[in-house]
Amino acid sequence: MLLGRGPETTRLDELIRAAAAGRGGALVIEGDPGVGKTALLEDAAQRASQLSVLRVAGVESELTWPYAALHQLCARMIARRDRLPAPQSDALAVALGGLAGPAPDRFLVSLGVLGLLSDFAAERPLLCLIDDAQWIDQESL
């Protein structure tokens, strides 16, 4: 349990319960460096035992690498790419470096990611945790 973080953990617990019941939601945690945002996300991941948890952490040195954060998000789901329509599957494969080709259409990449997330979440409710979003590359955003 995090000391002094009752309101934040309560809100996170509400979102986790809602997700487990099939209702989506989102929460943005803002604050100065060092105030414990990452600790809150780690605590949420521990509390979400009934959910599948996908994590992304923005990395300053990867800010200029297209789809770097998206690669983190999709790592556990990429084997499901064959379930997507071919244009989405190919665009996602190019974006994540699994297939050579010209820069993919961002809309097709987005649809591919949505398809992967939907397929993954069909088995078990899903919690996506994104830390240090200020360091996420523009393409992934």
Side-chain angles (χ1 to χ4, degrees):
M1 171 161 265
L2 297 174
L3 295 176
R5 293 303 204 134
E8 293 89 349
T9 56
T10 297
R11 181 65 181 120
L12 286 165
D13 284 343
E14 291 169 358
L15 282 170
I16 290 167
R17 280 193 301 276
R23 294 184 311 274
L27 178 66
V28 175
I29 301 171
E30 296 179 309
D32 293 330
V35 298
K37 299 178 298 293
T38 300
L40 277 169
L41 294 179
E42 182 58 38
D43 186 64
Q46 297 299 318
R47 292 170 181 265
S49 60
Q50 69 274 33
L51 308 178
S52 293
V53 178
L54 297 177
R55 299 188 77 161
V56 175
V59 179
E60 184 177 7
S61 62
E62 296 178 358
L63 190 58
T64 60
W65 297 357
Y67 301 109
L70 197 62
H71 195 277
Q72 288 181 53
L73 179 70
C74 294
R76 284 182 50 200
M77 305 179 294
I78 201 62
R80 299 165 184 261
R81 189 173 61 85
D82 62 341
R83 300 179 188 185
L84 299 172
Q88 295 173 25
S89 177
D90 291 348
L92 193 55
V94 171
L96 300 181
L99 184 65
D105 181 292
R106 287 164 103 180
F107 182 68
L108 289 175
V109 172
S110 297
L111 286 175
V113 172
L114 180 59
L116 288 180
L117 289 169
S118 296
D119 186 63
F120 197 62
E123 294 173 6
R124 189 173 181 191
L126 181 60
L127 175 64
C128 294
L129 300 173
I130 302 170
D131 198 7
D132 289 327
Q134 74 275 15
W135 302 125
I136 292 181
D137 60 278
Q138 188 60 45
E139 292 79 5
S140 293
L141 288 172

